[in-house]
C-alpha cells in the first residue's frame, strides 16, 4: 500500500498544516453540535412549558364544564323546577299588584285634581259673594227704617243668629209680639230657626231671601205674613 504521507508531500502540503486544518474542522464540528444541542434543549423546554400551560387551561375548562353540568343537573331536578315555577308565579303576582297600584295611584291623582279644582271654584264663589259684615252694612239703613216705622226690635242671639220681634200687628192687641229667629251663616243659605206664631208660606219667603240676600224685603214679607195671620184669626173669632 502506498504511504499517504508521500502523497501529501507530492501536493506540496506540509503534514503540520494538514493536521491543523483537521483539528480546526473538528473543533467547528463540535461547536456546531453543542449549539444545536443547546437550541434543541431550549426549544424542548419552551415546548414543555407551553404543553403544561395548555394542560392547565384544559383542566380549568373541564372543571368549569363539570360545574355547569352540576348546576344544570340541579335545575333539572323536579324540586328545582317546581321552585322556579313558584318563583315565576310570585313575580307575575307582584307585577300584577304593581300594575293595579299604579292604576289606583292614577285614580287618586285624578280625584285630587278634581278636589283641588272644586276648592278653587268654591274660593272664587266665596270671593264673589258678599260677607256677612257687608250684608249687615248695606242693610243697616233699611233695618233702622223698618225698626222705626214697623215697631220692630232686633236682638242678637249669638252664632250669627238674630231675633226679630214685631208689635202693632194685631188691631185688637198692639202689644202682642210676633217674632222669628233668622240664622245668617257666612257663605251658606239663611234659615229661620223659630217663628212664633207660625205662618204659612215661610219656605217660599225664605227662598226669596237666599236668592237675593235682601234682608229688608224679607222682613217686610214676614210682617205681611204676620198681618195676614192676625187678620184670619180675628175673622175666625168673629164667626
Amino acid at each position: 500500500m502506498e504511504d499517504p504521507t508521500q502523497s501529501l508531500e507530492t501536493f506540496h502540503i506540509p503534514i503540520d498544516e494538514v493536521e491543523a486544518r483537521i483539528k480546526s474542522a473538528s473543533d467547528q464540528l463540535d461547536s456546531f453540535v453543542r449549539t444545536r444541542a443547546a437550541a434543541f434543549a431550549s426549544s424542548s423546554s419552551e415546548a414543555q412549558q407551553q404543553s403544561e400551560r395548555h394542560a392547565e387551561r384544559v383542566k380549568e375548562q373541564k372543571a368549569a364544564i363539570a360545574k355547569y353540568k352540576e348546576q344544570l343537573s340541579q335545575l333539572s331536578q323536579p324540586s328545582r323546577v317546581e321552585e322556579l315555577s313558584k318563583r315565576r308565579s310570585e313575580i307575575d303576582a307582584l307585577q300584577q299588584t304593581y300594575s293595579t297600584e299604579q292604576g289606583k295611584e292614577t285614580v287618586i291623582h285624578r280625584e285630587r285634581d278634581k278636589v283641588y279644582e272644586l276648592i278653587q271654584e268654591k274660593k272664587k264663589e266665596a270671593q264673589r259673594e258678599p260677607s256677612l259684615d257687608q250684608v249687615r252694612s248695606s242693610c243697616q239703613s233699611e233695618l233702622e227704617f223698618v225698626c222705626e216705622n214697623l215697631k220692630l226690635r232686633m236682638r242678637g242671639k249669638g252664632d250669627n243668629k238674630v231675633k226679630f220681634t214685631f208689635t202693632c200687628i194685631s188691631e185688637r192687641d198692639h202689644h202682642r209680639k210676633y217674632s222669628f229667629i233668622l240664622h245668617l251663616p257666612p257663605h251658606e243659605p239663611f234659615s229661620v230657626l223659630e217663628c212664633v206664631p207660625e205662618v204659612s208660606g215661610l219656605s217660599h219667603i225664605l227662598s226669596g231671601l237666599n236668592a237675593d240676600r235682601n234682608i229688608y224685603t224679607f222682613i217686610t214679607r214676614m210682617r205681611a205674613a204676620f198681618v195676614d195671620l192676625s187678620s184670619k184669626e180675628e175673622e175666625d173669632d168673629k164667626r
Side-chain angles (χ1 to χ4, degrees):
M1 184 177 178
E2 188 178 357
D3 188 357
T5 302
Q6 295 177 355
S7 300
L8 292 173
E9 289 177 350
T10 303
F11 289 99
H12 305 288
I13 300 175
I15 298 300
D16 294 338
E17 183 177 351
V18 172
E19 292 178 351
R21 289 182 179 180
I22 292 172
K23 185 176 184 306
S24 175
S26 177
D27 291 340
Q28 289 178 2
L29 180 60
D30 290 342
S31 177
F32 174 77
V33 171
R34 286 195 298 270
T35 300
R36 297 305 299 172
F40 178 76
S42 176
S43 177
S44 298
S45 177
E46 184 177 354
Q48 181 65 26
Q49 292 177 357
Q50 292 180 352
S51 177
E52 291 177 355
R53 288 195 295 269
H54 177 69
E56 186 66 24
R57 288 196 296 271
V58 170
K59 183 179 179 180
E60 292 175 355
Q61 292 297 325
K62 287 183 177 180
I65 291 172
K67 181 179 179 181
Y68 292 144
K69 285 184 177 180
E70 182 180 358
Q71 292 178 350
L72 182 60
S73 176
Q74 292 178 353
L75 291 174
S76 300
Q77 294 177 1
S79 59
R80 294 292 294 174
V81 172
E82 183 179 355
E83 182 179 355
L84 290 174
S85 178
K86 181 179 179 181
R87 292 290 181 266
R88 290 193 186 97
S89 299
E90 292 176 353
I91 292 173
D92 292 340
L94 289 174
Q95 288 178 339
Q96 182 65 30
T97 302
Y98 175 74
S99 299
T100 302
E101 293 301 325
Q102 275 191 323
K104 290 181 180 179
E105 184 178 2
T106 301
V107 173
I108 290 173
H109 287 171
R110 291 176 181 173
E111 293 298 328
R112 181 196 61 189
D113 294 340
K114 290 181 180 178
V115 171
Y116 177 77
E117 292 176 359
L118 181 61
I119 291 174
Q120 295 302 316
E121 184 66 25
K122 292 297 182 181
K123 286 183 178 180
K124 291 180 181 179
E125 291 179 0
Q127 291 174 355
R128 290 194 295 266
E129 292 181 359
S131 65
L132 180 60
D133 292 336
Q134 291 174 334
V135 173
R136 286 174 176 171
S137 177
S138 63
C139 296
Q140 185 65 35
S141 59
E142 290 87 347
L143 291 175
E144 291 176 355
F145 175 80
V146 171
C147 291
E148 179 68 22
N149 293 275
L150 302 181
K151 303 303 179 181
L152 170 66
R153 288 188 304 164
M154 294 185 300
R155 185 177 64 179
K157 303 290 287 184
D159 296 330
N160 300 314
K161 300 172 186 175
V162 181
K163 184 175 183 179
F164 297 84
T165 303
F166 292 99
T167 55
C168 298
I169 296 291
S170 173
E171 294 182 358
R172 294 184 302 178
D173 185 0
H174 291 177
H175 297 288
R176 182 182 176 184
K177 295 179 180 181
Y178 297 77
S179 65
F180 63 89
I181 297 176
L182 183 62
H183 186 206
L184 306 168
H187 314 307
E188 293 181 15
F190 297 159
S191 61
V192 174
L193 303 181
E194 178 182 286
C195 183
V196 180
E198 294 184 359
V199 296
S200 61
L202 176 60
S203 60
H204 177 70
I205 299 173
L206 186 60
S207 297
L209 171 62
N210 285 313
D212 57 22
R213 298 294 221 214
N214 192 320
I215 300 292
Y216 172 75
T217 300
F218 176 73
I219 292 175
T220 56
R221 288 176 178 173
M222 286 298 296
R223 186 179 187 281
F226 284 137
V227 170
D228 290 342
L229 176 63
S230 176
S231 298
K232 290 180 181 179
E233 290 177 346
E234 291 177 1
E235 289 178 1
D236 291 341
D237 291 341
K238 291 178 182 179
R239 292 176 183 176

